[in-house]
Amino acid sequence: MTALLSVRDVHTRYGVGKQVLRAVDGVSFDVERGETVGLVGESGCGKSTLGKTILRLVPSAEGEIRLDGADITHLGARAMAPHRRRMQMIFQDPFGSLNPRQTIRTVLDTALKVHGQGDRGERARRLQEIVARVGLPADALDRYPHEFSGGQRQRIGIARALVLQPALIVCDEPVSALDVSIQAQILNLLVDLKRDLGLSYLFISHDLSVVRYFADRVLVMYLGRIVESASHATLWRDPRHPYTKALFAAVPSADPTHKRAAPPIKGELTTDLSAGCRFNARCPAATERCRVEEPLLRPVGEGHHAACHFA
Amino acid sequence: MSLLAVEGLTVAFPGNIAVREASFAIAPGETLALVGESGCGKSVTAFSVMRLLAPNARVTAGRILFDGIDLLAMTPAAMREIRGKQISLIQQEPMTSLNPVLSIGAQIAEVIRRHERVTRKAARARVVELLELVRIPDAARRIDDYPHNLSGGMRQRVMIAMAVACGPKLLIADEPTTALDVTTQSQVLDLLDDLRRRLGMAVLLITHDLGVVAQWADRICVMYAGRIVEQAAIGAFFTRPMHPYSRGLLGARVDVGADEHYSLNRLSEIPGSVGSAAGEAGCAFAPRCPLVVPGCRLAVPPLIAQGERAVACPVVI
């Protein structure tokens, strides 16, 4: 059986003046049906661009994106429409991603209308179902975004993504803007929806604790490339790439007796893509070889890949 | 004696009381974390100490004693001598706190020359030292850079250099690493902690991240809906949080060290939102509280001290 989403050697480039920024630089992975794939990395590593590329919100320069086996990489707007319904997105900022002048009913109904779903009565019924499903009060449909709290607005964002009954949802930092007590509510809701509706998620986040809890498989991204991928259990037990190890070590634990190690890496993400490993300038274990030869993603264990000469 | 003692601080905005009867103290050289969700009043508390509240905010009650002197009673001119010299502030977003059209060196030198009589040349030399102190590589060259030349972490280091330029006794850090990546976060917080020790500063660390609190603070104050609901030393707080809200916060947090996965366990939630208690009497947390009893809705529970600890919940005491 083919994977729900299959991404092969995808490149996305932005023109920055005369320069070209290679935001996504040769990424390949699959998302199986019912699977949650976590995508972690620091700001600027290309994880959001990768999400948008998959949804065809930004064009990919090279590579192939398949949804349900169908190649959607170069489809025009009209041919793309039926596929769009199958994959939706939840954004980080529930304040910025809702039109303040539209009621929730308009926001949700527009999606159905655009995709020619159902007649008026059927749509109204669908909206009521979806609003109840994401835990909003029944009168929410005729209210405006500003009448809701941050957590409720994110529920609206989820409802909008779900209303078209997609198979894949790309969640771009869905809980990063929310308070801790609300984060747990939204994560629990996403888990329930996945279970009940058989959804697959591509879950993009910079927060390792959240990804650890939420993902079945994790991709670690650094400067446009996947540097490590593994099942959640393997990755946390046995990280191989020095960047992954550094990320884990940097997350502060809520146990004050847990001694914090000195920051294992120096500096910050750069955009220097000269020869060799992209991480070598910050890597505590870099050798001459790392400065010359770029490591490729290779198997280091069962379902476990890492792009490091020494992994 | 405490370096800073906030007593019964109440701050009102039109139609909203942001901080209610907040009292806490910071000892010299200590790091106190002020924790709570957005809108709980933690930043308003910090801005009150700096006397930088928005024009429509009013301190309706309380005192803020710094070295025994009430900051709220000071003239604006006297306050300007304290701000940046004795008490300084770093904020979440270093890009918007820095002036984009001045070099970073000029901005740091401005602080020094505002408070001390030094020549331009001497100030510049001090700036280079400060940039080295906050570990900006190649400081002598970077001094003439503009904020846009620097990464987020480097900008926050510049903000720290500016904040410690005159050797303040108290540094208020309002979500200093929230806009930064996790690897940068630990570098910046380690730097702050190192400076605190070397310069003997006290730090008021405002954050919503309990991991940051556990690793970098000595004591914690938890705020909810404008009130302080729990105060404790870090060790005691994380082994035995007392207020139901503190317990809920720790329970709802996914810890990177814990072996939790959605396939095994559900996250514990705090139901509802802060707005749940709007307009109701009694404890603001009552509508969300698992331990609520009828008495909770009658009167606001006072913060009751027991040794080093204080909790505003009669149900758990």
Side-chain angles (χ1 to χ4, degrees), chain A residues 153-164:
Chain A
R153 271 182 241 202
Q154 197 54 294
R155 288 177 197 269
I156 296 167
I158 293 172
R160 182 178 56 185
L162 280 179
V163 74
L164 290 165

Side-chain angles (χ1 to χ4, degrees), chain A residues 42 185 212-213 215-216 260, chain B residues 183 190 256 261-262 265 270:
Chain A
E42 297 181 276
Q185 294 177 8
R212 170 168 197 181
Y213 174 77
D216 299 312
R260 191 163 28 88
Chain B
T183 53
D190 280 343
V256 78
H261 195 247
Y262 78 90
N265 69 297
I270 304 180

Side-chain angles (χ1 to χ4, degrees), chain B residues 155-218:
Chain B
R155 283 182 207 141
Q156 200 57 295
R157 285 168 196 267
V158 170
M159 288 306 300
I160 294 173
M162 202 183 290
V164 302
C166 295
K169 292 179 187 164
L170 174 65
L171 177 70
I172 301 176
D174 187 0
E175 303 272 9
T177 57
T178 306
L180 304 180
D181 284 316
V182 61
T183 53
T184 316
Q185 163 170 289
S186 60
Q187 294 169 20
V188 167
L189 288 171
D190 280 343
L191 169 69
L192 261 184
D193 205 44
D194 181 51
L195 291 176
R196 172 184 68 88
R197 240 172 272 142
R198 275 208 262 170
L199 309 175
M201 298 184 294
V203 176
L204 177 60
L205 177 65
I206 297 174
T207 178
H208 66 279
D209 186 335
L210 289 168
V212 166
V213 175
Q215 296 299 325
W216 283 282
D218 301 312

Side-chain angles (χ1 to χ4, degrees), chain B residues 1 43-44 66 76 103 115 122 129 191-192 202 204 208-210 217 230-231 234 249 267 301 307 312:
Chain B
M1 196 181 80
S43 293
V44 173
F66 179 74
S103 71
H115 290 291
E129 280 172 31
L191 169 69
L192 261 184
L204 177 60
H208 66 279
D209 186 335
L210 289 168
E230 180 159 3
Q231 280 192 40
I234 290 306
L249 268 188
L267 293 175

Side-chain angles (χ1 to χ4, degrees), chain A residues 262-280:
Chain A
I265 53 170
K266 290 194 211 74
E268 289 173 60
L269 201 76
T270 58
T271 44
D272 175 25
L273 301 185
S274 44
C277 173
R278 286 165 193 215
F279 187 56
N280 84 68

Side-chain angles (χ1 to χ4, degrees), chain A residues 42-43 179 181 185 188 192 194-195 209 212-216 232 253-255 258 260 263 265 268 282, chain B residues 37-38 151 153 181 183 187 190 215-216 238 254-256 258-259 261-262 265-267 269-270 272 288:
Chain A
E42 297 181 276
S43 39
D179 282 316
S181 71
Q185 294 177 8
N188 282 340
D192 293 344
K194 170 183 146 89
R195 230 169 242 159
S209 347
R212 170 168 197 181
Y213 174 77
F214 196 74
D216 299 312
H232 77 98
S253 162
D255 176 0
H258 184 274
R260 191 163 28 88
I265 53 170
E268 289 173 60
R282 300 175 73 191
Chain B
E37 299 183 63
S38 31
S151 68
D181 284 316
T183 53
Q187 294 169 20
D190 280 343
Q215 296 299 325
W216 283 282
F238 284 94
V254 214
D255 195 71
V256 78
D259 212 1
H261 195 247
Y262 78 90
N265 69 297
R266 208 176 155 75
L267 293 175
E269 298 177 8
I270 304 180
R288 306 175 74 185

Side-chain angles (χ1 to χ4, degrees), chain A residues 276-277 286-295 298 308-310:
Chain A
C277 173
T287 66
E288 194 46 44
R289 186 181 172 197
C290 305
R291 279 179 267 280
V292 186
E293 186 190 339
E294 178 161 17
R298 62 188 174 86
C308 174
H309 297 307
F310 306 101

